Amino acid sequence: MIPSAFEYLRPETLEEAIRLLQENSEEAVLLAGGHSLIPILKARLAQPGILIDISRIPGLKGIGREDQALLIGGMTTHHEIESDPEVNEVCPLLAETASLIGDVQVRNRGTIGGSLSHADPAADYPATLIALDAEFVVTGPDGARSYRAENFFEGPFDTAMEENEILTSIIVPAPQGKIGGAYCKAAQQASGFAVCGVAVTVMLSDNGQIEFASIGITGVSASPYRASGVESALTGQAPTAETIEAAADRATEDIEPIEDLYGSAEFRGHLARVWTKRALEQAVKMAGS
Amino acid sequence: MAKAPAAPKFIGSPIKRREDPKLLRGLARYVDDIDLPGTLHMAIVRSSFGRAGIRSVDINALTDLPGVVAVYTAADLEGVGPVPVSGLVPDARVPVQPVLANKEVRFAGEPVAAVICETRYGAADAAALVDVDFEPKEAVVDLEKALAPGAPKVHEDYDDNVAFNWELVGGDVEKGLAEADVIVKQKIVNGRVVPLALETRGVLASYDPGEEKLTLWSSTQVPHKLRTHIADQIGMAENRVRVITPEVGGGFGSKLNIYREEALAAYISRDLGRPVKWIESRSENFLATIHGRGQMGEVEMGLMKDGTLIALRYTVLADCGAYYQYLTVAIFTLTGLMIPGPYKLPNVEMKVTGVFTNKIATDAYRGAGRPEATYVLERIMDIAAAEIGMDPAEIRRKNFPAKSEFPFATAAGLSYDSGDYAGALDKALENAGYADMRREQVEARKEGRYLGIGLSTYVEVCGMGPSAALGGQGWESARVRVEPGGKVTVFSGASPHGQGQKTSFAQLVADGLGVDINNIEVIHGDTDTVPFGVGTFGSRGTVVGGSAVVIACDKVKEKMARYAAMKLEADASDIEFAGGKVYVRSAPEKSADFAEIAGLAYSAMELPPGTDPGLEETHFFEPPNFTFPFGAHVVLAEVDPATGDVKILRYVAVDDVGNQINPLLVAGQIHGGIAQGAGQALEEEILYDTGGQLINGSLMHYSLPKAGLFPRFELDHTTTPTDVNPLGAKGVGEAGTIGSTPAVVNAVVDALSPFGVRHLDMPVRPERIWRAAAAKGEQG
Ligand SMILES: Cc1cc2nc3c(=O)[nH]c(=O)nc-3n(C[C@H](O)[C@H](O)[C@H](O)COP(=O)(O)OP(=O)(O)OC[C@H]3O[C@@H](n4cnc5c(N)ncnc54)[C@H](O)[C@@H]3O)c2cc1C
């Protein structure tokens, strides 16, 4: 429970952080909220020689509004997201998701950028950010580029980010209309991580049909994914109980659910279908009201 | 102004814990808060295998490390005695547990070497560099496989993995079963759980070469036992060892053991002539502090169609782990003693086979053997009720001994002191609105919701206990000193570690001497200052330790009355203590300050006839019997069969712990106890893989019950005093845990009854529930 020795660096600017990463790419690791990294260090599962603390870099933290989108800095904490009035108004689904992460201490320290970069297959945000069609902006030695949420995660603890890049912001579109959203999760009892987390946004057209449905699922497979089969089964349909149920049955189409202490593959697949159905029901209800 | 005899002012009042201000403000001092100059830090190199040979221990990498002072392996500790065990049964195999493993390791986490360094971080780094060449061997993990012919052996010296065989027989079970109308059977697993005291273990040893004395600060429940055994292990005179328990952050039985690290720190401090500190990490706490429970058995019960119980047999494999800790074997026998529970069960039998496995030992964990008994019994009671179509409350009530039948002799050989089991059950059912609950359950089912109602009625054995029944040391000691200025100091041999006896003992003495509670100081946990004591476990602190306090207090009072009589020119038997004064009962205008009389006893200018100076009395209280608290818990839970989620909607408990010294402390104990028991029911189980690796040994993986799991607890009580001690108190430390585990599981199983489910093993986690419901589908 005592980490091995490391050097601690705290750059003041993004450029400096990237330069430090470049200079030490063999042995340096970024430190954000520390709520995934520090436990790993304490268990000596990783023994990096250098930690680069990015918590004091101006501009990496905070929530802003740009046209129809929310702009969230990578160093923004889960608590800031859950309690921000703008997020709660424009995108309550994201606030709700943040509020279900771990416990108060975790939410006070942990950051959205840290969570996404860490890419724990059971993390909560990925499901929601896939459902919201978010974009992740990363900045590296060659400048900034961005990824669609669903293309970012490449496997357990693995992302499309290159070495020496920093996840600097998250852009969350906030379309107008008869929109409803829901995030439902079966939580791992000890940590709160998702054994199965399903995020849904639906938009209803004026005649009450489903204009689009967007579904992200986490915890169930090696990476969070978009449940495309469910989406296509819903688009253009009236949101009847039968339609929803049949669509939800496709929640694990082409997916191989994972298995661990908290659930077999079979159970996870089952949970994905149950929670997709329930999340859809909630979201449709909200969109219609 | 006439004074009536003082009514108790403090006893029975919900006084706030005097311990809390310091705890809440971070001013309490635990072992790790004690800094001695020149302290060295110890880190333990542990086995990373469940079972392996040790080919070599290479410490070359440490040669030039700054701060490393010494490394100890088994070869350096040949004179140090093995870990002490007690509470054995006849013919038990008793493996020797060395303080450091020599040729073989037998559980993951077993200590192999101790690294001593100037800093704690340095010690951790150095320990990581010790290169132990292990030769991994097939581990023994599963209890049934451990007993299969040809299984690998935990101890090569023995023929097999059987640790001990023990049975308890009362009446004639075979005959009883033959006479019964109905026989119900169930296989039941009571998995391993982790005590998880919030403060991990820790020890600081400081040897003074000049005085030739060793002081050991340890996070333990049993300072005097620790002193006796450590002195013995490292070859010192008992009175040259001083054990101090500073603030201790919980134990739940896990610190009722003498552990290897304590002897290591003590020995090494003497060897190096410097203080040595070791603070257990949470990972080590999972690996190398005892686990609780660990039973796997089958219960069989015979009864008549009208619900009358005839016979019960429990045949069980007991998971001992690789070595015994202090009371490993005894815990399983406690299950046997309580197997009849609160029912008239004329024929009972428990057969235990202790099994060695490549795991840390099991030992006492809150309830220690009694929760296991209660769980088995309360589960089979529900199964029996379903079998004969009787309400679970009814079958329980039918088999209780009546209030007038106490003391009640059980077929397991105990004599229950006092009880009114039906009274507690009736009150619990009334508080719960049981009939309405059942109606609500029916209504909910029509809406597709699954509510379950779980009952458990329990009795447990505590106030441990008569010395002869415990194999020695069942008493407790106390000394009460009225100081010359009228303040009162209480020295207790008990060793509270969270229970709040600095408050409750002060209440006892404040009323006993008619003084304000703020004048009373309670001291415990220092073998150089308190009388020789036993410790705190088995819900004995107040029951046995408090009784010693009350009697010592009476002795002081009796002596003080003689001084008062001298001063007030009255008869000692006519002296009354109240409101910080002493009065002559028959002439209340004659009075003196309590402090003034205290002063007289110390100035001793004049002595009452036949009376010595001073006001200090000691008492060793030997209880004539155990005590038997009891109660009834009712749980209403909603189960979602599609997801396996459980929500506890109501928790109603009626506990009878005899007279309550402090209802607030009692409620606190019940709250925590319920939560801990429910934790095992719903979430907790520590798991090893087939290689003997602990696979959920962290708080990210092993779930403790959290506040969000529970509704407000609806607590109530009945009061049936015991005559076993002068307080009439029965003990409350474990009752909640004992009652809650089966109540919660029974509620979940009841909710799933439409699916034909009659039993689920703990923890009843979501997937287990879903599978059970999905397997059978709703049946009508
Ligand atoms: C008890 C507990 C319970 C938890 N429960 C949940 C839960 O229910 N749901 C859930 O989703 N999560 C949970 N978490 C994880 C938590 O959300 C973490 O905060 C989060 O995963 C990591 O964020 P962080 O800011 O703490 O990152 P850190 O721990 O500081 O970093 C994590 C990793 O990401 C890298 N990194 C950090 N920031 C960036 C960046 N901006 N760009 C590139 N790389 C970066 C780091 O180098 C490191 O490798 C829990 C954690 C704990 C300790």
Side-chain angles (χ1 to χ4, degrees):
Chain A
M1 293 278 98
I2 290 179
S4 59
F6 54 80
E7 204 182 326
Y8 173 82
L9 304 176
R10 201 172 68 204
E12 302 286 334
T13 65
L14 188 58
E15 294 68 34
E16 192 190 346
I18 292 168
R19 184 176 51 76
L20 289 172
L21 268 179
Q22 269 183 300
E23 286 168 5
N24 305 286
S25 53
E26 288 298 299
E27 46 174 354
V29 167
L30 294 178
L31 172 68
H35 267 50
S36 289
L37 184 59
I38 300 291
I40 291 171
L41 300 187
K42 282 187 164 187
R44 298 198 175 211
L45 295 172
Q47 309 195 8
I50 298 174
L51 295 194
I52 302 175
D53 182 352
I54 55 171
S55 64
R56 310 285 172 97
I57 296 176
L60 275 190
K61 208 175 167 76
I63 298 165
R65 182 102 180 243
E66 222 170 64
D67 305 327
Q68 290 304 320
L70 287 170
L71 196 65
I72 302 174
M75 273 304 306
T76 310
T77 64
H78 311 331
H79 170 73
E80 286 160 344
I81 293 172
E82 113 189 77
S83 58
D84 184 82
E86 193 123 51
V87 177
N88 274 284
E89 191 202 313
V90 179
C91 192
L93 174 58
L94 182 60
E96 186 194 340
T97 306
S99 76
L100 294 174
I101 294 175
D103 52 41
V104 175
Q105 282 112 313
V106 173
R107 296 197 291 276
N108 277 337
R109 299 284 316 166
T111 67
I112 187 167
S115 172
L116 298 172
S117 308
H118 190 60
D120 190 311
D124 290 302
Y125 285 128
T128 297
L129 294 173
I130 288 172
L132 289 170
D133 243 328
E135 252 180 78
F136 304 162
V137 180
V138 303
T139 310
D142 306 325
R145 23 195 211 111
S146 71
Y147 297 91
R148 284 189 67 192
E150 62 200 88
N151 300 328
F152 185 72
F153 304 100
E154 298 197 328
F157 310 102
D158 193 12
T159 71
M161 258 193 301
E162 301 284 335
E163 222 171 64
N164 306 336
E165 285 185 330
I166 298 178
L167 205 169
T168 39
S169 64
I170 293 97
I171 301 170
V172 185
Q176 305 287 301
K178 291 170 82 174
I179 295 256
Y183 180 63
C184 295
K185 89 162 152 176
Q188 198 258 70
Q189 291 169 327
S191 66
F193 272 106
V195 173
C196 166
V198 180
V200 164
T201 53
V202 292
M203 187 191 268
L204 300 182
S205 59
D206 288 339
N207 62 10
Q209 286 184 341
I210 298 176
E211 187 140 327
F212 74 79
S214 182
I215 293 111
I217 298 182
T218 187
V220 174
S221 93
S223 280
Y225 62 94
R226 177 180 288 285
S228 315
V230 182
E231 294 176 357
S232 57
L234 292 169
T235 312
Q237 305 294 314
T240 62
E242 298 72 40
T243 307
I244 288 176
E245 175 135 22
D249 271 344
R250 298 176 62 179
T252 50
E253 211 171 71
D254 302 325
I255 289 298
E256 241 179 80
I258 52 174
E259 183 153 281
D260 60 20
L261 278 182
Y262 317 103
S264 65
E266 196 187 351
F267 185 48
R268 279 194 158 82
H270 165 78
L271 284 178
R273 292 183 288 275
V274 170
W275 286 119
T276 299
K277 172 170 164 262
R278 293 184 184 179
L280 281 168
E281 286 164 356
Q282 278 181 36
V284 164
K285 196 167 162 206
M286 184 175 157
S289 66
Chain B
M1 171 199 64
K3 273 267 168 206
K9 191 171 159 199
F10 297 103
I11 297 173
S13 310
I15 292 175
K16 284 191 188 165
R17 283 162 40 107
R18 305 169 92 202
E19 291 86 342
D20 287 342
K22 118 182 125 168
L23 291 166
L24 293 172
R25 289 179 299 156
L27 299 176
R29 278 157 63 85
Y30 297 85
V31 173
D32 202 14
D33 297 315
I34 298 166
D35 282 319
L36 299 180
T39 296
L40 295 169
H41 297 267
M42 178 167 80
I44 306 292
V45 179
R46 296 177 184 278
S47 168
S48 39
F49 294 94
R51 180 164 168 257
I54 300 175
R55 292 200 195 91
S56 64
V57 181
D58 181 352
I59 58 169
N60 283 327
L62 276 59
T63 322
D64 293 328
L65 273 191
V68 175
V69 172
V71 181
Y72 291 80
T73 63
D76 304 308
L77 296 167
E78 268 159 15
V80 179
V83 174
V85 300
S86 73
L88 297 170
V89 298
D91 302 324
R93 285 170 171 163
V94 187
V96 170
Q97 178 174 187
V99 290
L100 288 174
N102 190 3
K103 300 221 154 49
E104 177 130 4
V105 286
R106 297 191 170 87
F107 64 92
E110 179 166 2
V112 176
V115 177
I116 308 297
C117 191
E118 296 285 351
T119 66
R120 190 183 294 177
Y121 277 54
D125 287 343
L129 293 174
V130 173
D131 186 9
V132 185
D133 187 6
F134 290 108
E135 180 191 353
K137 297 180 180 174
E138 198 183 333
V140 179
V141 176
D142 180 82
L143 294 179
E144 282 171 335
K145 285 188 191 151
L147 297 182
K153 289 186 289 183
V154 175
H155 299 279
E156 296 289 349
D157 295 351
Y158 303 139
D159 296 337
D160 51 34
N161 289 315
V162 173
F164 66 91
N165 283 295
W166 182 79
E167 64 175 26
L168 178 145
V169 179
D172 186 340
V173 165
E174 216 38 62
K175 185 159 161 278
L177 291 175
E179 286 167 4
D181 290 340
V182 179
I183 294 178
V184 282
K185 276 193 197 185
Q186 184 61 49
K187 285 200 159 113
I188 290 183
V189 180
N190 200 315
R192 279 180 172 239
V193 291
V194 183
L196 273 169
L198 279 191
E199 185 209 13
T200 56
R201 289 187 291 127
V203 58
L204 169 62
S206 179
Y207 184 74
D208 180 333
E211 296 286 337
E212 295 178 39
K213 279 197 78 171
L214 175 79
T215 305
L216 206 65
W217 288 262
S218 184
S219 184
T220 184
Q221 301 173 226
V222 284
H224 278 94
K225 284 183 194 294
L226 180 60
R227 185 181 75 144
T228 302
H229 289 298
I230 288 288
D232 188 47
Q233 277 181 283
I234 69 168
M236 282 183 71
E238 196 167 359
N239 58 1
R240 295 201 165 275
V241 178
R242 175 184 189 182
V243 173
I244 299 174
T245 56
E247 204 67 55
V248 175
F252 308 114
S254 73
K255 295 173 183 169
L256 155 60
N257 283 282
I258 316 299
Y259 286 98
R260 300 187 194 209
E261 294 86 354
E262 289 168 318
L264 280 170
Y267 177 83
I268 294 171
S269 173
R270 190 181 56 178
D271 199 34
L272 299 178
R274 288 176 64 180
V276 172
K277 187 188 262 189
W278 173 75
I279 302 295
E280 186 185 50
S281 71
R282 184 58 68 189
S283 308
E284 289 176 302
N285 186 255
F286 275 98
L287 280 168
T289 289
I290 62 103
H291 294 165
R293 319 283 186 250
Q295 294 188 5
M296 182 179 175
E298 185 170 38
V299 55
E300 187 177 5
M301 187 164 76
L303 65 159
M304 304 314 282
K305 283 196 187 117
D306 71 353
T308 307
L309 306 183
I310 307 292
L312 181 134
R313 172 186 285 147
Y314 179 43
T315 311
V316 63
L317 301 182
D319 188 348
C320 295
Y323 308 92
Y324 306 138
Q325 278 289 349
Y326 204 60
L327 292 170
T328 300
V329 176
I331 302 309
F332 300 113
T333 65
L334 276 174
T335 304
L337 288 172
M338 288 316 292
I339 203 72
Y343 310 117
K344 289 178 152 177
L345 245 168
N347 308 293
V348 295
E349 189 180 300
M350 166 157 161
K351 284 196 174 137
V352 194
T353 305
V355 184
F356 289 123
T357 55
N358 288 116
K359 307 174 198 169
I360 179 72
T362 54
D363 206 294
Y365 167 57
R366 202 169 193 173
R370 294 97 86 201
E372 294 89 323
T374 304
Y375 180 68
V376 160
L377 187 60
E378 291 304 283
R379 281 279 46 250
I380 200 71
M381 287 300 279
D382 268 20
I383 291 169
E387 188 73 26
I388 62 170
M390 197 165 181
D391 186 276
E394 226 27 68
I395 191 172
R396 286 172 167 82
R397 191 188 339 250
K398 185 170 182 69
N399 289 285
F400 289 147
K403 198 176 174 180
S404 57
E405 288 175 79
F406 288 87
F408 180 76
T410 76
L414 295 177
S415 172
Y416 294 171
D417 51 354
S418 62
D420 179 7
Y421 302 161
L425 176 61
D426 288 344
K427 195 164 188 182
L429 295 178
E430 190 189 320
N431 291 356
Y434 184 64
D436 289 340
M437 261 190 191
R438 286 282 175 212
R439 274 191 291 276
E440 196 184 336
Q441 181 180 32
V442 171
E443 288 308 310
R445 207 151 285 173
K446 290 181 195 154
E447 299 163 14
R449 289 168 57 223
Y450 295 83
L451 299 186
I453 300 163
L455 293 183
S456 90
T457 49
Y458 73 91
V459 58
E460 66 123 336
V461 53
C462 71
M464 313 258 164
S467 296
L470 288 192
Q473 292 202 0
W475 43 265
E476 193 53 273
S477 66
R479 181 188 306 141
V480 174
R481 181 200 295 156
V482 177
E483 308 282 358
K487 305 285 181 192
V488 186
T489 309
V490 180
F491 301 87
S492 169
S495 196
H497 44 280
Q499 291 84 351
Q501 274 123 358
K502 283 207 180 206
T503 306
S504 56
F505 286 0
Q507 289 175 261
L508 295 174
V509 173
D511 278 347
L513 296 176
V515 297
D516 190 74
I517 194 165
N518 292 320
N519 290 328
I520 295 163
E521 176 66 15
V522 178
I523 291 174
H524 58 77
D526 180 347
T527 60
D528 268 12
T529 58
V530 307
F532 194 96
V534 175
T536 294
F537 54 89
S539 302
R540 69 191 306 281
T542 299
V543 175
V544 190
S547 296
V549 167
V550 163
I551 296 171
C553 180
D554 281 348
K555 289 185 187 174
V556 173
K557 187 172 171 182
E558 196 268 332
K559 187 171 181 186
M560 204 168 166
R562 283 185 262 147
Y563 278 97
M566 176 180 78
K567 163 83 184 167
L568 300 174
E569 296 174 336
D571 195 85
S573 63
D574 203 15
I575 298 294
E576 181 79 34
F577 292 66
K581 290 192 177 304
V582 288
Y583 298 89
V584 178
R585 198 177 292 118
S586 57
E589 67 285 356
K590 289 210 271 180
S591 74
D593 277 349
F594 182 85
E596 185 190 350
I597 303 299
L600 292 182
Y602 285 91
S603 81
M605 306 273 279
E606 192 187 348
L607 298 175
T611 305
D612 299 324
L615 288 173
E616 177 164 334
E617 296 291 337
T618 302
H619 187 76
F620 282 61
F621 177 73
E622 169 67 27
N625 189 6
F626 297 104
T627 53
F628 297 88
F630 58 91
H633 290 201
V634 183
V635 172
L636 177 68
E638 177 160 1
V639 175
D640 182 340
T643 61
D645 291 332
V646 176
K647 188 163 173 48
I648 299 178
L649 301 175
R650 286 185 66 196
Y651 200 110
V652 179
V654 172
D655 297 278
D656 191 322
V657 299
N659 290 335
Q660 302 193 3
I661 314 302
N662 183 331
L664 201 60
L665 291 181
V666 168
Q669 289 293 321
I670 301 278
H671 273 243
I674 289 172
Q676 224 160 354
Q680 183 182 10
L682 295 174
E683 303 188 343
E684 292 185 53
E685 185 175 28
I686 193 78
L687 298 167
Y688 287 85
D689 69 11
T690 52
Q693 295 292 350
L694 203 60
I695 48 180
N696 56 347
S698 93
L699 287 171
M700 285 294 272
H701 304 100
Y702 182 94
S703 184
L704 280 188
K706 300 169 200 68
L709 198 60
F710 301 106
R712 186 177 65 83
F713 295 138
E714 300 170 56
L715 304 188
D716 203 343
H717 61 273
T718 54
T719 304
T720 310
T722 179
D723 58 8
V724 169
N725 61 59
L727 306 175
K730 290 192 166 195
V732 66
E734 296 155 294
T737 313
I738 293 166
S740 71
T741 307
V744 171
V745 173
N746 284 349
V748 172
V749 171
D750 185 49
L752 294 172
S753 60
F755 298 93
V757 175
R758 69 168 216 170
H759 178 70
L760 283 178
D761 274 325
M762 299 185 291
V764 285
R765 280 192 175 170
E767 180 157 2
R768 266 190 196 159
I769 291 172
W770 167 68
R771 282 195 182 279
K776 303 209 173 157
E778 186 149 12
Q779 314 191 331

